[in-house]
Amino acid sequence: MSEQKASTDREAREPGFSTRAIHVGQDPDPTTGAVVTPIYQVSTYKQDGIGGFRGGYEYSRSANPTRTALETGFASLEGGDRAFAFASGLAGQDTLLRALLKPGDHVVVPSDAYGGTYRLFNKVLTTWGIDHTIAALADPEALRAAIRPGSTKLVWVETPTNPLLGIADIETLAGIAHDAGALLVVDNTFASPYLQQPLSLGADIVTHSTTKYAGGHSDVVGGMVVVGKDIAVPEYADAADRVAFHQNSMGGVAGPMDSWLVQRGLKTLAVRMERHCDNAERVVEFLTGHPAVSAVHYPGLESHPGHEVAAKQMKRFGGMISFQVKAGEDVAAKVCGETQLWTLGESLGGVESLIEHPGRMTHASVAGTELEVPSDLIRLSVGIEDVDDLIDDLRQALDRLG
Ligand SMILES: *Cc1c(COP(=O)(O)O)cnc(C)c1O
């Protein structure tokens, strides 16, 4: 290959995921050469004469350089147009929804949505006149049935879902939503941008709780909204401008320290996710062979109803597993309290492995609703410890109690 041809090829190819995670938006600091974007712990900026902003920075709710670095990098990782960082996943979701919807609009919400997202639709947005229908989106026909022509403006999708690891076909659902004139929004928290890129599958907007895999170290709460380059519904072509306006107007922004922590997490996202997946596969193998276990939910299992769709739209199957125990609810709850290495706690996506009982913990608020989860269910967030230690710990708990 001639040198000229080689360099043209290099220019044509977009840098890989980890290169972008480590470099996009993060040029060495122009004044000192610091290789890491500093934590600009500051609220206001000196103006060179009235309105003479340096780099556009005026006040840190509107923009802050540490947040800008994170937003620029994250937009690249999801293949989006612009990204907006928030103080929590729910702050981002609320801002997005109020930026796009108005009273009288209707949305479709998945039957196994994250509990806090469901609460936002069910308890907060209903009082602002935004109506919703719950649909089991693993089946695209359920979306067709739930759409109200003319008033459905947005379809919310989560895949894989929490805690049952249900899978929805993003490309198919995007087609159905767009035919009805509705946007498709994907909460990509469980997969992370490393394993799944919804915008490339036709979604219009992606949201994250960066508290989870993006931050990855259980040391920060944050959210992200990424608006795609091609919004399929003309009415919302200005979605990025609307979110930008509402981010500043409503003010739920990510602070400089939190932005810095999430960006630091992203730099190792690819290596962490590979290890989460390696470990999860081994834990799944152990659980499926254990006599106390009645069912294992993991999209990597060929028996999982969404396996084929997951294999098509995800790079690997992720670090979240849930399983049911034959002995029922009380034993499930006891197992969660009897592990040593697996920490009993809510949240997910950190380097440390977590165990929890969704029915009594993360999903207690949806008991008695269409989103209720099985009472004998245990959810695992598989960390990146040595997997033999993780398996030994589960074995001692299940052997004794199961
Ligand atoms: C945690 C979570 C959220 C909410 O994010 P916060 O950062 O806790 O506000 C939304 N969606 C999913 C899938 C989550 O796991």
Side-chain angles (χ1 to χ4, degrees):
M1 195 187 284
S2 73
E3 256 182 48
Q4 198 183 348
K5 171 86 171 51
S7 82
T8 321
D9 281 356
R10 264 200 303 277
E11 279 160 29
R13 196 174 65 82
E14 188 187 27
F17 185 90
S18 286
T19 305
R20 284 179 283 133
I22 295 168
H23 293 288
V24 172
Q26 304 169 77
D27 289 340
D29 182 56
T31 50
T32 63
V35 297
V36 174
T37 304
I39 302 164
Y40 284 89
Q41 195 70 47
V42 67
S43 61
T44 191
Y45 304 82
K46 174 183 161 59
Q47 301 184 13
D48 297 318
I50 294 172
F53 308 133
R54 301 185 189 176
Y57 294 103
E58 174 185 12
Y59 182 62
S60 281
R61 170 164 37 72
S62 310
N64 172 284
T66 314
R67 198 175 90 218
T68 304
L70 170 63
E71 292 173 337
T72 308
F74 211 105
S76 165
L77 296 184
E78 282 286 7
D81 176 21
R82 288 165 72 186
F84 304 90
F86 291 89
S88 71
L90 286 176
Q93 295 186 357
D94 178 40
T95 304
L96 171 70
L97 292 165
R98 286 199 280 155
L100 299 180
L101 299 172
K102 57 183 187 327
D105 287 347
H106 172 255
V107 297
V108 179
V109 182
S111 58
D112 41 9
Y114 173 73
T117 302
Y118 175 66
R119 186 174 53 202
L120 189 57
F121 283 113
N122 188 41
K123 293 263 169 34
V124 180
L125 291 170
T126 42
T127 64
W128 296 95
I130 292 157
D131 202 1
H132 64 273
T133 299
I134 292 169
L137 296 182
D139 175 13
E141 291 312 312
L143 175 56
R144 279 190 227 279
I147 281 175
R148 295 185 195 160
S151 62
T152 303
K153 296 295 182 185
L154 190 149
V155 176
W156 193 273
V157 173
E158 248 183 73
T159 181
T161 61
N162 177 20
L164 284 166
L165 286 306
I167 297 293
D169 186 332
I170 296 171
E171 201 170 1
T172 302
L173 297 179
I176 297 170
H178 294 160
D179 284 349
L183 291 167
L184 192 89
V185 177
V186 176
D187 181 337
N188 202 27
T189 298
F190 264 44
S192 89
Y194 178 67
L195 295 179
Q196 174 173 277
Q197 308 204 327
L199 299 175
S200 72
L201 298 164
D204 301 286
I205 294 167
V206 165
T207 73
H208 280 274
S209 167
T210 53
T211 313
K212 317 294 169 53
Y213 287 107
H217 295 72
S218 307
D219 53 10
V220 64
V221 170
M224 191 70 69
V225 172
V226 188
V227 179
K229 291 174 182 156
D230 307 298
I231 300 293
V233 183
E235 188 183 340
Y236 297 105
D238 61 347
D241 289 339
R242 290 204 214 182
V243 176
F245 174 79
H246 285 79
Q247 183 193 37
N248 184 44
S249 303
M250 291 155 71
V253 296
M257 181 74 200
D258 290 355
S259 298
W260 188 89
L261 282 168
V262 173
Q263 185 142 51
R264 175 176 160 132
L266 288 174
K267 294 177 193 181
T268 55
L269 182 64
V271 289
R272 283 188 288 110
M273 290 315 293
E274 290 289 350
R275 176 68 170 250
H276 284 297
C277 294
D278 289 345
N279 284 1
E281 286 169 13
R282 288 278 313 282
V283 170
V284 164
E285 195 182 297
F286 161 74
L287 289 172
T288 49
H290 197 284
V293 174
S294 56
V296 180
H297 306 279
Y298 187 66
L301 286 168
E302 274 174 34
S303 57
H304 185 288
H307 176 69
E308 269 177 43
V309 173
K312 183 183 73 171
Q313 68 191 15
M314 297 177 77
K315 196 180 175 84
R316 292 184 72 183
F317 302 103
M320 297 302 297
I321 303 169
S322 61
F323 67 100
Q324 289 166 266
V325 292
K326 287 180 188 155
E329 173 170 0
D330 286 341
V331 166
K334 272 204 196 98
V335 167
C336 295
E338 290 289 321
T339 51
Q340 311 296 318
L341 194 53
W342 297 81
T343 304
L344 177 64
E346 304 193 351
S347 198
L348 60 113
V351 292
E352 56 287 289
S353 293
L354 298 175
I355 189 166
E356 68 121 358
H357 185 269
R360 292 187 188 175
M361 295 170 63
T362 48
H363 290 65
S365 66
V366 295
T369 72
E370 291 163 81
L371 281 79
E372 185 169 308
V373 298
S375 62
D376 57 1
L377 189 77
I378 295 174
R379 188 185 79 177
L380 302 176
S381 171
V382 184
I384 65 170
E385 299 96 334
D386 292 284
V387 70
D388 290 329
D389 298 329
L390 295 174
I391 291 173
D392 283 351
D393 190 27
L394 281 178
R395 183 184 290 118
Q396 63 78 21
L398 285 170
D399 284 357
R400 257 183 320 124
L401 300 164

